[in-house]
Amino acid sequence: MAVRRCRLARFQRPARRQRPCTEGNPAKNTTISGTAPRRAYVGLEFSVGAPVETIVDGKPVPINHSNVETVPPPLDIAGMAWNWQAGRRFLTIEVDPPSPIIKPDGSKTRTWMVHLGSTGCKGNPATGEIVSCAHENRFTVAFDHFDPKTQRVEFDLARLFESSDLLVDKGGAVGCMSGLDDPECPAIFAALGLNLTGTEGATGEAVKQTKPGVSPVFKTDPAKVAGGKQ
C-alpha cells in the first residue's frame, strides 16, 4: 500500500497555495478485483502486509522475502521493498510539511516518512529458507457490515498523524520506519492498531495487533453508510 508524497492541508499556511501531489509510485492499483462463491455477504475483512509464504505444488514459496528482481508483479515494485532479507514495505507514506523538519542535532530535512514492514528477521531466502521475523507488523481490518455498492473503505491520514508532530523528529529514522526504539513510532503504531514492542500476552504468544480486526486509521465512508444495506 503506497500513498503519494504531498503536503497535508492541515499543516499548510492558509495564504500559500497547496502544492499538488506527485506520483511516488505510478504502478498503483485503484481497484481490487476477484471472485468469491455466490453467497450473501454482510461484512468485509482484509489484511495489510505481504504474507510470509504461499504453497505451490505442495511446497512453501517465500512471498514477503522474495527477490524483487525475479518475482512477478506486484511483488516486483522496487519502491515497496526494503533490502531482500527485510522483505517488503506494507505501507509507505511520505509527507513534506510546509516547514523543514528539525532533527535532534538541529539540522533540517524535508520529508517525514512512515514505512511499515517486518523487523527482527532471521533466515536466508537465497538458500531457500523461509524467513521468520520477531515483529511481523501485519494486521487485519474487519467491518461486520459492509455493502460494496454503497460504501467504500477510507484511510484516514489525519487520524494517522493525530498524535505526531511532523515538524520535529526526536531520533532514529526521520518519521517512523518501524524501529522499536524510534520515538515517533509509538504514536504511529497506535493509530494503525499495532503493538510496537510485540510483548507477550497471557497465552505466551506475541501480541501483534492491539485488537484483532481493528485499525483506527481505516473506516467506512460515513457519507455512504446511511444509504447502505446493513
Side-chain angles (χ1 to χ4, degrees), residues 24-223:
N25 175 17
K28 68 185 191 317
N29 296 311
T30 59
T31 303
I32 298 175
S33 60
T35 60
R38 185 181 294 276
R39 296 174 183 171
Y41 296 93
V42 297
L44 171 68
E45 181 175 324
F46 59 91
S47 60
V48 177
V52 175
E53 63 183 30
T54 188
I55 302 298
V56 177
D57 296 330
K59 298 180 180 180
V61 176
I63 296 294
N64 185 27
H65 299 274
S66 54
N67 189 340
V68 71
E69 297 181 355
T70 60
V71 293
L75 295 172
D76 63 337
I77 299 176
M80 293 299 288
W82 280 346
N83 62 61
W84 193 8
Q85 202 261 2
R88 301 300 193 281
R89 299 176 188 171
F90 307 149
L91 178 71
T92 297
I93 299 173
E94 299 180 353
V95 177
D96 290 347
S99 301
I101 302 161
I102 307 300
K103 299 172 69 174
D105 61 1
S107 62
K108 300 178 180 179
T109 188
R110 179 73 275 168
T111 303
W112 209 97
M113 295 169 282
V114 175
H115 293 174
L116 178 69
S118 298
T119 61
C121 301
K122 296 181 179 180
N124 184 2
T127 61
E129 287 185 277
I130 297 298
V131 177
S132 62
C133 301
H135 306 280
E136 296 183 351
N137 295 334
R138 284 182 286 270
F139 60 97
T140 60
V141 181
F143 299 104
D144 292 336
H145 301 283
F146 184 79
D147 186 346
K149 295 181 180 179
T150 59
Q151 294 177 270
R152 63 183 181 182
V153 176
E154 292 186 343
F155 186 92
D156 190 344
L157 274 178
R159 176 64 183 85
L160 178 68
F161 296 126
E162 185 176 54
S163 299
S164 300
D165 185 350
L166 302 191
L167 299 180
V168 176
D169 186 80
K170 297 180 181 179
V174 179
C176 171
M177 293 192 183
S178 305
L180 299 183
D181 57 352
D182 192 313
E184 278 68 50
C185 281
I188 294 296
F189 269 60
L192 292 173
L194 277 170
N195 187 310
L196 176 62
T197 59
T199 54
E200 293 186 352
T203 62
E205 295 182 354
V207 179
K208 302 173 184 177
Q209 194 166 1
T210 306
K211 185 177 180 180
V214 176
S215 178
V217 295
F218 283 96
K219 61 183 181 180
T220 54
D221 184 352

